[in-house]
Amino acid sequence: MILRKVSYKFSLYLCSAFLLIFCGIPLVWMLFTSLKPLGELLSYPPKIFGHYTLSNFKRLFTDTYFLIYLKNSVIVAGMTVILDIVIATFGAYSLTRYRYRGKELLANMTLFTYMFAPIMIIIPVYILLQDLKLTNSHLGIILAYTSISLPFTLWLLRAFFQSFPAHLEEAAFIDGASRFQSLMYVVIPEALPGIIATSVFAFVVVWNDYLFARILLSNPTMKTMPVGLQDIFESTIVDWGLLMSGSMIVTIPAIIFFLVVQRFLIEGWGMGAMKG
Amino acid sequence: MNRGRSKEAFHGILLILPTLIIIFGFIFFPVGYSIWLSFTNKHAISPTYDYIGFANYSKLFSENDFWFSLWRGAIFAAGTIFFQIVLGLVVALFLNQSFRGRGFVRGVTLFPYMLPTIVVILLWKWLLSATYGPVNFVLESLGIIHSPVVWLGEKWLMASTIMVGVWQFFPFVVISLLARLQTIDLVLYEAAKIDGANAWRRFIHVTMPQLQYVLFVVILLRTFFMFTKFDVPWLMATGGGLQELLQNLPVLAFRRTFGFFQAGEGAAISVILFIMLILLAIVYFRIYRKEAEV
Amino acid sequence: MSEIKKMSRRGFLKGVTGAAVAGMGASLLPKGVHSQTRSLSIWHTEPSDLTVKAVQKVCDRFMELHPGVKVVQEGIGWADLGPKLTISLAAGNPPDISHIQPYMFRSFQKKGFIIPIDDVIRSIGVDNIHEAVRDMTLYRNHWWGISHEVGCPLLMIRKDIAEQAGFKVPDDITKPMFKTWAEQIEYLKAVTKPEKRQWGMSLPGTGYFLQEHCGRWVGGNGGTFYDERWNPAFHKEPFIGVLEFVKTLSDQKLIPPDWLSQSWLGMIVEFSTGMTTMIDHGYGRIAVSIAKYAPDKASEDYFKPIWRPVGPLGKVDYTDLDSEPWVIFAKSKNQDLAKEWLKLFYSRDMYLNYIKTYPVHMYPITKSLANDPEYQALPELKQWPSWVRQQAEYIKRKQATPVGVFAPAKNIQIPFLAEVFDSGMIVDEIVAMVQGRRKAKEAAQRISDRANDLIKKLGYPVPDPIRSEKKA
């Protein structure tokens, strides 16, 4: 009995170690490299001990427009997440609580939008945004990103709403609440974990994207961070110090966003019976 | 209820309208355009074109390059999907247990997904470099290998790329599965324990059925995403000499459109990929329905 | 109570739809309604912040001189600018001014995308521009573009390593260190020490750059990519010789093991940090990399250019002109303003400010600036004098031919260069050969065959595509 407990704990810690190494070591490497001076960065064998300096970070902030790119990414990602959640919540609510023709068809079609490779639609999307005079604008690219994140978030929220027992809403209706109030005050709080999960997905879609940002944005002050990093990297002839320090900074908002979100994923389970 | 049926339907449609506008505008219209384009011989920048029927398709099907790219794309997709799911499932189950430091381990596990692809690729290309990468150094120091392995060379490039694809995206699987795992009613486990089921049987008879639907959708989505991935295979080989080894259909479409300037051909490749994924999805649905019936 | 609730629901839904409609409507408003300003959009291939600032200075000055005009610039690396330009042309909405690659010029000109800019050239001074550079875009007595600068990739060597290995590096930069490729290979064998992580030469795996190397080398081997009738000439002896040269370098392991996945930037870093002792693509930009990664070796005692050897069948060696021409698009609504902008760009102070951002790489196209004492006093030129002098020498001797065109320079008139070059088919076959899947001769033949297929598909007569020119 004790042996089983010990081996159970042991395997838990083994798994933890594996995950920390597999996922975390590259992060640690990035951190160390961002703190090394350029002359020592590429030395082989790789040295862990040596000089450490904040010069890469300093150069990142003073010599490049990196902070502007980061700001743009945060704004675009934030707006996309908000727009996406609002539209998807309404849409999911509509698909699960109303009846009208074509509902089933719509519900099933949403995920199939991912069968189209982004590289396939970039030219027509560009043409479309150009006709709407939305190229080179944050609004235009937010719409484009929303279209990519929407299908999955819609599906996810629909699954959550579906598993949400109707009788809780019934109780609210009996109390005299309108559909809208029921949505706002009963359904959404219950579905919060799902909403959080979808916001993670939408955030990453934007945070990660290179292709759309590169093609649809032209103004240097509008660039988002992946495009900006690539340009910094190329234009400084491979300044690994800048790249690594930039990457470190880039992970910070993502980690913060995620840590905040993570707590919600854990809470909310106390709400009890969410049957599959 | 005094609500008129039609009024209610109207409100329902109103709520779904924004979704429809966006998806129709940004997805269906471009896709329609691509399909139309695939029947022409349009040059990427010339405004003139002719309708050539299925000529693009027959040319592609007769080209070795096309089938080779299809094959390489399938290897990349199958490799990444398989490991993303397996690793993702195991890790999700693991992170569902409670232990000290779980929050921290969760955070670290999800970190790869937060990095932009460009950073991921540059980072791994450096780590795996045969001339100055630390991975070889560590492996040699530990005695696991005796001479530097060219991870980014001909022999290992696909394996390395699959590893990078798994590293970056398996957290997606973890998040999706973990969210579902956390909502499985603990009562079910208690009942199974009382019936004398051990951990493995609890997994098979309680966890898996509850997880089935989410797992199915995750596999479906990962399939779509890994077959249509452009930036990972492209950036790992940067369109250079070894790109052929990593050339999946999206990369081929890119090269045909922007290199050969054959927009019609590029569109045809994308349409072929799309049809392939429809067929795959049908197969998945069939399998899922069979499993679900059992 | 229920009244209020009903209102709030209806009101909310009305509000949402109203906002959506208004939003769509606002974005659909034609621009002209509220903007009387004229605008210029300028795209170029210099993403470096330093250079972007220099271009911005021109834009700012232009906006001072022309109130009411808005000028926006964007600097992206060619790998991205190419597709982006393609997409914008496909959408019928190109920028006003852009850099293009020399090998695309005829393709654009033939399709009527760009306009001639003779008056710009004349205002700078027809005799003031180096001939080879000026006439790069000369076609039917018009000039269609003007290069922003001109740089030539040089063959560079680590002088200290060469001398340590017992080789003498000539002081006269016009004298080759090796007369032939064979001698060069012998040298590389002597200095390749994989156990010390030192390889002979850097080679880029990236398609564009590897093809560029081959273009230089085929010229140095007495050959061309296309013959006088515009037929692909890859299957001829000189190009086969180039392939065999690459194969030797690869088989004898004189180049780093993962060269095939090495980018051009990585290659520069390799050379700067001493992982390789030679680079055929010695851009002036390497000076930046050296300053970063090997600041203690930043002088010509360590990094020196040498004159190129020739191949077994060649007599004269070639390098290429890396110089993207500015072009003005026919769709531009402000062609006159665009021309004025270009004239301003080349004015002495503005141009000097631009060239100053990378003086070793950016050789000015105007003789007036090249001879200008302030230019010649730039510190980087003092640090790397041979680099600049050798580039000037190649240009003077007309042994520098436009990138993607290669020798002979008049091949720039061929209108399908862009499609064949950008397709990457040359690199595909090189890789197949290097991996042992094909012999050099077969690979060369396949390139010619595939090129002919593409040329035919583009609507030109095969063989002898030059026949399509008779009509114009």
Side-chain angles (χ1 to χ4, degrees), chain A residues 132 176 210 214 217-218 238, chain C residues 5 27 74 76 80 84 293:
Chain A
L132 293 175
Y210 182 83
R214 172 57 85 192
L217 293 173
S218 274
V238 193
Chain C
K5 277 184 242 165
S27 63
E74 187 181 355
I76 340 176
D80 285 334
K84 189 160 174 166
Y293 291 107

Side-chain angles (χ1 to χ4, degrees), chain B residues 48-198:
Chain B
T48 58
Y49 58 86
D50 305 306
Y51 288 108
I52 55 172
F54 286 92
N56 280 329
Y57 293 95
S58 55
K59 172 172 184 282
L60 284 169
F61 287 136
S62 69
E63 275 183 35
N64 266 340
D65 280 345
F66 171 75
W67 294 107
F68 189 66
S69 302
L70 186 59
W71 172 238
R72 299 309 290 181
I75 296 179
F76 172 71
T80 46
I81 296 168
F82 178 74
F83 286 107
Q84 281 169 4
I85 300 290
V86 168
L87 188 62
L89 180 59
V90 169
V91 170
L93 290 170
F94 166 63
L95 289 179
N96 197 29
Q97 314 290 320
S98 55
F99 56 91
R100 234 188 355 194
R102 178 172 77 166
F104 179 69
V105 179
R106 274 189 186 176
V108 173
T109 306
L110 295 166
F111 153 73
Y113 189 54
M114 296 292 170
L115 286 178
T117 306
I118 269 217
V119 171
V120 170
I121 307 274
L122 286 171
L123 182 63
W124 278 106
K125 279 183 90 161
W126 184 1
L127 290 173
L128 295 173
S129 162
T131 43
Y132 47 75
V135 166
N136 270 336
F137 176 70
V138 169
L139 291 177
E140 271 180 282
S141 312
L142 292 177
I144 301 178
I145 59 176
H146 299 291
S147 64
V149 175
V150 187
W151 298 108
L152 299 172
E154 210 186 313
K155 234 169 60 156
W156 289 100
L157 187 60
M158 177 55 89
S160 300
T161 308
I162 290 180
M163 190 277 293
V164 172
V166 171
W167 187 83
Q168 187 180 6
F169 295 112
F170 88 97
F172 174 91
V173 178
V174 172
I175 298 180
S176 309
L177 295 182
L178 193 57
R180 182 69 190 95
L181 282 175
Q182 300 249 279
T183 63
I184 295 180
D185 200 343
L186 294 171
V187 165
L188 294 167
Y189 287 114
E190 293 302 321
K193 264 197 209 148
I194 291 172
D195 282 348
N198 63 14

Side-chain angles (χ1 to χ4, degrees), chain A residues 38 42 44 63-64 90 126 130 132 176 180-181 210 214-215 217-218 220 234-240, chain C residues 5 12 27-28 31 43 47-49 73-74 76-77 80 84 87 91 93 197 265 269 285 292-293 358:
Chain A
L38 272 179
L42 292 172
Y44 194 92
D63 292 351
T64 70
F90 287 161
Y126 180 84
Q130 190 201 290
L132 293 175
F180 173 65
Q181 286 171 321
Y210 182 83
R214 172 57 85 192
I215 302 291
L217 293 173
S218 274
E234 200 177 310
S235 70
T236 57
I237 316 292
V238 193
D239 192 320
W240 282 107
Chain C
K5 277 184 242 165
F12 174 79
S27 63
L28 286 169
K31 209 96 183 274
W43 292 0
S48 145
D49 283 333
Q73 57 138 334
E74 187 181 355
I76 340 176
D80 285 334
K84 189 160 174 166
I87 294 182
N93 184 30
R197 315 200 75 78
L265 290 169
V269 172
R285 279 192 217 278
K292 276 204 241 271
Y293 291 107
Y358 287 103

Side-chain angles (χ1 to χ4, degrees), chain A residues 3-249:
Chain A
L3 191 62
R4 220 187 300 161
K5 241 199 159 165
V6 164
S7 61
Y8 174 69
K9 281 263 161 177
F10 179 70
S11 52
L12 275 184
Y13 287 120
L14 195 65
C15 286
S16 290
F18 167 73
L19 278 178
L20 289 176
I21 293 180
F22 184 57
C23 299
I25 291 285
L27 171 64
V28 170
W29 177 259
M30 225 163 67
L31 179 63
F32 280 151
T33 311
S34 67
L35 294 171
K36 281 195 199 148
L38 272 179
E40 287 183 24
L41 264 184
L42 292 172
S43 59
Y44 194 92
K47 292 199 267 278
I48 303 186
F49 306 108
H51 300 111
Y52 284 108
T53 165
L54 286 175
S55 63
N56 294 326
F57 288 92
K58 209 168 84 165
R59 280 182 313 126
L60 186 70
F61 296 137
T62 55
D63 292 351
T64 70
Y65 292 127
F66 180 75
L67 284 177
I68 295 183
Y69 303 148
L70 192 61
K71 178 190 81 153
N72 286 337
S73 269
V74 168
I75 292 177
V76 171
M79 296 300 303
T80 302
V81 167
I82 293 174
L83 187 64
D84 180 76
I85 288 182
V86 166
I87 296 183
T89 305
F90 287 161
Y93 192 66
S94 161
L95 287 174
T96 54
R97 295 290 186 258
Y98 288 83
R99 285 170 301 219
Y100 46 86
R101 256 198 312 211
K103 189 178 79 157
E104 279 311 306
L105 183 64
L106 282 175
N108 289 327
M109 280 211 306
T110 52
L111 282 183
F112 295 150
T113 56
Y114 293 123
M115 286 195 269
F116 310 117
I119 197 78
M120 174 184 185
I121 60 174
I122 184 66
I123 295 185
V125 167
Y126 180 84
I127 296 179
L128 175 71
L129 282 183
Q130 190 201 290
D131 287 343
L132 293 175
K133 305 252 188 291
L134 285 178
T135 48
N136 210 21
S137 73
H138 280 166
L139 175 61
I141 203 164
I142 288 172
L143 287 176
Y145 284 142
T146 306
S147 75
I148 300 179
S149 54
L150 195 55
F152 181 63
T153 53
L154 184 64
W155 171 79
L156 201 59
L157 283 179
R158 178 171 156 257
F160 264 87
F161 285 11
Q162 266 177 342
S163 66
F164 186 81
H167 63 79
L168 277 165
E169 266 196 285
E170 298 287 323
F173 292 143
I174 290 172
D175 278 349
S178 69
R179 267 280 153 136
F180 173 65
Q181 286 171 321
S182 155
L183 171 64
M184 287 299 289
Y185 299 115
V186 181
V187 176
I188 287 183
E190 278 299 311
L192 206 56
I195 293 181
I196 300 296
T198 64
S199 66
V200 168
F201 180 73
F203 182 82
V204 170
V205 159
V206 175
W207 204 243
N208 214 330
D209 169 76
Y210 182 83
L211 182 66
F212 277 27
R214 172 57 85 192
I215 302 291
L216 301 175
L217 293 173
S218 274
N219 203 318
T221 52
M222 300 231 117
K223 279 191 223 179
T224 55
M225 178 271 311
V227 169
L229 270 180
Q230 166 71 1
D231 283 348
I232 290 176
F233 186 64
E234 200 177 310
S235 70
T236 57
I237 316 292
V238 193
D239 192 320
W240 282 107
L242 283 184
L243 185 74
M244 288 296 141
S245 56
S247 306
M248 281 312 301
I249 307 247

